[in-house]
Amino acid sequence: GDDYARVMEVIDIRAQSFAIDRLQERITRLENFFNKKKSKPEAMSKIYDHAFETAVQAMVQESFEYAKDAADLASKIAKGHIKEKKQQALALSKEIDRRESLFGEYQKARETLKGKNTPEANEVIGRYLCFELGRWETGLPHLAQGNDKKLADVADRKSTRLNSSHLVISYAVFC
């Protein structure tokens, strides 16, 4: 049978050596597979899994248009072929929209900080870096300068003494 995983692996390897857009190539191949294999349920399940994985990878890389394209493909497959995955595909699309919105706020805040150091911008940046990307070392100093005084106090203390898991617990308890 078709080895979709191998095709995705080859695309990833090629992208390391050549100037190709890895995400776009994955989406294009998956769409081609989808159009050719619509009647085969076992193929649709594998194509769905790769589309879902590609959408998540694109979202993590902040390539939101590709994330949406891959999530749309996953939704299309789920609606027509794998109904039990429909909710999962819908949840992914919502998460991509949420992350894209937060990324837009993050970018605006970064632009603001270029001109003026504001607590509002620092908090937006800190929340995005810490809570969305898990980049605690970079995000904690911004949270420490943010508007939320409880969070700023916890971030300021935690950035010098404790690891990031303590900040999460502290935030849940105190904020």
Side-chain angles (χ1 to χ4, degrees), residues 28-87:
T28 299
R29 294 283 187 226
L30 290 167
E31 286 172 341
N32 290 340
F33 291 146
F34 170 69
N35 291 327
K36 290 178 184 175
K37 305 291 182 181
K38 284 184 180 177
S39 63
K40 297 183 178 179
E42 68 281 351
M44 287 297 105
S45 181
K46 291 176 183 177
I47 296 167
Y48 172 87
D49 290 343
H50 289 294
F52 191 91
E53 174 190 344
T54 300
V56 171
Q57 288 174 6
M59 180 181 63
V60 168
Q61 294 174 21
E62 298 168 340
S63 297
F64 296 106
E65 289 308 310
Y66 289 149
K68 289 177 186 181
D69 289 347
D72 288 347
L73 178 59
S75 291
K76 195 180 336 178
I77 294 167
K79 286 177 188 172
H81 303 278
I82 315 169
K83 301 211 183 313
E84 65 272 9
K85 299 280 188 173
K86 199 171 163 183
Q87 285 303 111

Side-chain angles (χ1 to χ4, degrees), residues 113-150:
L113 283 187
K114 288 180 182 177
K116 183 179 179 188
N117 191 3
T118 68
E120 296 85 6
N122 273 299
E123 186 170 332
V124 168
I125 291 170
R127 284 180 180 272
Y128 185 77
L129 292 172
C130 290
F131 301 129
E132 298 301 320
L133 301 182
R135 292 175 39 198
W136 296 94
E137 288 183 25
T138 309
L140 284 173
H142 289 286
L143 286 177
Q145 296 177 54
N147 255 355
D148 184 328
K149 294 303 173 200
K150 288 181 185 176

Side-chain angles (χ1 to χ4, degrees), residues 150 154 165-175:
K150 288 181 185 176
V154 170
S165 62
H166 290 97
L167 176 62
V168 173
I169 294 167
S170 298
Y171 181 72
V173 171
F174 297 113
C175 298

